[in-house]
Amino acid sequence: MTEISSARRSTIRDRWIAWLFIIGSSLFALGAVPSYSEAVGLRWCAATFFVGSLFFTSAAFLQYREAADALPAVRATARHSPWVWAPRNLVWLAAAVQLAGTLWFNWSTGNAVRDNLSAALTDQRVWRPDALGSVAFLGASGVALRDAGRGAIPGRPRPRTWKIAVINVAGSVAFGISAVAAFVIPSSGDVWNAELSNLGTLVGALCFLTGAILMLGPESTDVSVQTDRGTHP
């Protein structure tokens, strides 16, 4: 009964994670559409990114908590604490780095809502945490891909977590390109390449959206249950 209850809680949590990522990715994709920005204005567009980042953080925390709960307890009767240190566990490491990345996105998008920042402050409070968040997402996706690859069985279809990890790596690369292109030139206050930044954000968000939707589908019965646990995005 305990194992069934635990499995049910994990399934419910996975669905919450998927839907939170779906909503967050959809908001990021919406904010990157030029016509939306023109219709609502830059401030509301920035607010859209900020709200999307909160959904990302909520999903990332649930995923981190799931990774922490899956770690073996020090004692048989010990309860798991979410605040643990297990860098050798790839699932935990990917979830922890991803959570840090979402917090940087919170800081970046929250500051972007303000309209009185100088070019120097914009680079410091918006661009820098955005770049750090993108690096964290890329690192987390790479670690998740490495972990998912260990569950692949020669001659059998790749597990769902591997497919999701590949999509999320692509999304993280797109977010990284967006972050580089969003650098504000101090001398002029202009964004280095606004079109490329929007495109990178849109492509990355659509990749993460695809990965999150795949989380809702059933895993193949040919794949080990262990491979159903991964980090998304």
Side-chain angles (χ1 to χ4, degrees), residues 103 110 160 225:
L103 293 175
R160 178 180 59 176
V225 174

Side-chain angles (χ1 to χ4, degrees), residues 80-104:
H80 282 293
S81 168
W83 310 118
V84 295
W85 180 249
R88 295 185 178 181
N89 183 286
L90 295 184
V91 175
W92 179 92
L93 180 61
V97 174
Q98 177 182 255
L99 179 58
T102 65
L103 293 175
W104 270 315

Side-chain angles (χ1 to χ4, degrees), residues 95-228:
V97 174
Q98 177 182 255
L99 179 58
T102 65
L103 293 175
W104 270 315
F105 283 142
N106 293 159
W107 179 247
S108 172
T109 55
N111 281 306
V113 176
R114 302 173 59 183
D115 55 9
N116 59 343
L117 294 178
S118 65
L121 284 177
T122 299
D123 278 334
Q124 178 182 348
R125 299 181 182 180
V126 178
W127 180 81
R128 188 176 300 173
D130 181 44
L132 291 172
S134 298
V135 170
F137 262 44
L138 184 59
S141 298
V143 173
L145 179 59
R146 180 183 177 186
D147 179 68
R150 298 191 305 181
I153 301 175
R156 294 188 179 183
R158 293 282 188 174
R160 178 180 59 176
T161 49
W162 183 87
K163 298 175 183 177
I164 293 173
V166 170
I167 293 172
N168 288 331
V169 167
S172 297
V173 170
F175 263 29
I177 294 173
S178 172
V180 172
F183 179 74
V184 178
I185 303 172
S187 59
S188 63
D190 295 329
V191 174
W192 179 59
N193 193 325
E195 292 78 11
L196 181 59
S197 178
N198 281 338
L199 179 61
T201 300
L202 178 60
V203 172
L206 291 177
C207 286
F208 294 140
L209 176 61
T210 302
I213 292 173
L214 286 177
M215 289 180 67
L216 296 174
E219 179 63 283
S220 171
T221 55
D222 293 335
V223 180
S224 169
V225 174
Q226 182 180 358
T227 63
D228 193 43

